[in-house]
Amino acid sequence: MILSTSLAYLALLYLALSSPGVQAIWPFKEKRFRDEAFIDAGSLGLEDVRGRVMGVGDWDGDQKLDLFTLSQDGKTITVQLWDKDKFTYIPSHTLTLSSTVSNIVPGDYNHDGHLDLLVMYVQEDDGHWWENKQDKLGMEVFLGGGENGGFQKSPWKLDSSIPAQPIIFDADNSLRPSLIGLAADEEVEGGVLRTWLNNGTGFSLRSTPLSSPDQACTLANPHSSAFIDIDGDCLPDLVLHCSEPKSTHHSIQIWLNRGSSGYVLSKSYDLPRGSGLPSFADMNRDGSIDIIFPTCKQHSKSTGIGTECNINIAYNKQVPVCSTEGSQMTKEGKLKCRGWGDLCLADEEFQFSFDSSDPDFTSIPLSTLLSLEEDVDSSAGLLLHPPNRPDIPLPLRSGDYNVDGFPDLLLTVHTSIKGGNGILGDKEVNQVKILVNTPCGKNIPGCGVKGTTRGFKVGSGKSWAALDGIYDAEGASWIDVDDDGSLDILVQRSGSQSGQKVTFIQNNFYHDAFFLKAQVLNGACEGKCEPTDGGKSYSPLGVSYSGASYKFTVLDTTGHRVAQQVAQLPQTGYHSLHTPYAYFGLGRTNNYVEKLFIGTSLSPGEHFTYLESLIPNSQIIINPPYPVSSEGDTDRSLISRSGRALFNVSKRQQTSIAPVKNRSKEWKSSLYLKPGDWVPWVGVSVFGTTVLLGLVVLYLNEREKKEDENERRRKLHSINFQAL
């Protein structure tokens, strides 16, 4: 009877919860996107943008990605702030120049915790003889933190560069962004390699911190130079992308960071003929950074299309990770393997190979990758830049969309769709494709060389229809819309198909795996920044440090330990569109991240720290040692302006290292938990199970009480009968 009554109560509860009035106050929000697929999310407030998206950053420090767009005439920059409640971008502040903008680089240049904008623009000719041979690139820094969160009135003016854009790097181990590039020179037609040194109040043109500057190459234009750790010591190095004057021959130089001794030339490599811009990622998940680049036999600058193209990966050959926590050395004293608890050790003998016969170099014809698609012409070309815009190169962009720990590649191809309305029934289109990093198996391109364990396949199918349905793409990049923990896609378009210039493709796939986000700040403030004029304090969470490196190991479900390396903001030139944080998939794991090593460009020996036992599906904020005016540190931890809960994870004292003058000795880190959509339903399940078990206990308790009452009555009846 009681059980049937309980079931009736549960039925009434279900009916009550199903009523419209209760659903209106139901705490679990209805999902915005339901299908497990790539979903066309539209322009998200950028319908009026007629130019391009030029940069990504967190302008207001709310830990949401904002965008910087350029007008159609190339002279007005608009800050597009993300509104989480409205799920859209809202234009806020604008910046108008009299010259055509070439590039913008968000960063904190005056080290005050506000995001600023370095703007590069084509400089008007002023009649000098060397300017008649080539244009010059003007540069100004427009400081943030102005009135109503806008720009300050007085920008910083920088010395001019030649059109090969300078890149961000750390010239003096100060965590302040300086520049390296080719400065305009009256006596040298191709310019001279120089450093724009940032002293916190402006930039001054200096000689480079290269140990042998006469060996430095001439930067290509466009080039894909990077500030990234190559030798595995968690200290960012310089990779220069070079070309011979008046030649299409390209090469790279790797300059290792030696702290106060500057940068030392370690390796130089010639790239194969027809090479495009290099990108950098740990493609085979071995804990070292590899080089990814395309090669094309022919390239039309008017259309931007490269034909007979290959996708190439030069794997970084370094010592493996030991099965033990400590590192092991050979009898000769050389590093044999890195311990999984000691990952920030340099491998001086690292090597790359660009020989197609080497198993550590993979070259896959684009036609082979696309030949598996039934409706696509296998002779497709690669879109290397938008038509007639060689100043906006489109490199291969790495990102782990399926969070399996192996980066995938995003690229734009020019092809013909069978059955279209073009000549002979085919339609010429520009489409965005994802090369999915896949274990080797049957019909997986890139798996023919002995010893190769990973290949690539083009993602396709009904779930990819939204991405495949875009035919006027002019580039694409990875972005996490609304900070929901999945890599989405920002597609830039010509507008010929639907009138849209920007489309967002929402990644709504469910993957049985975990991710981690990490962001290294620039150490401008300890916690919240306090203005010198006594104004309101503000959050420095929008200012990231370019060149940070992350290395870690994770155990997969079979107990096998794998290493990964990820870089933060390694490239800043030519519309690089990197996010201000690093996003990396962890794959399937049933464990914490054992140790996460974080490296910066502080002086060697004190340039890295580590965090232990990190929870997957979370975001880590790391603040390096910050400037202090006197000895002693306070205990404030980072606090979000958005009001989300933060808690301090670690305060690791660098007691064995002498402190840097006027800089604190401790790293501070904070953790944001990112609960999955299923977490509330776990709570509902636990609550429901508890209620059900409680009802069972009540039912059994009532039965027991009835049995006890019957037993008591039988005993009482027996006693009375004997008394008679």
Side-chain angles (χ1 to χ4, degrees), residues 193 210-218 240 253 255 264-266 268:
L193 195 65
L210 307 183
S211 60
S212 49
D214 56 319
Q215 295 182 331
C217 62
T218 301
L240 300 183
Q253 288 185 340
W255 296 78
V264 178
L265 181 61
S266 173
S268 296

Side-chain angles (χ1 to χ4, degrees), residues 555-566:
L555 291 172
D556 61 20
T557 53
T558 64
H560 179 63
R561 181 177 284 107
V562 290
Q564 289 179 243
Q565 182 174 4
V566 184

Side-chain angles (χ1 to χ4, degrees), residues 521-534:
L521 305 180
N522 65 350
C525 311
E526 173 210 358
K528 281 201 168 185
C529 296
E530 303 293 341
T532 56
D533 58 3

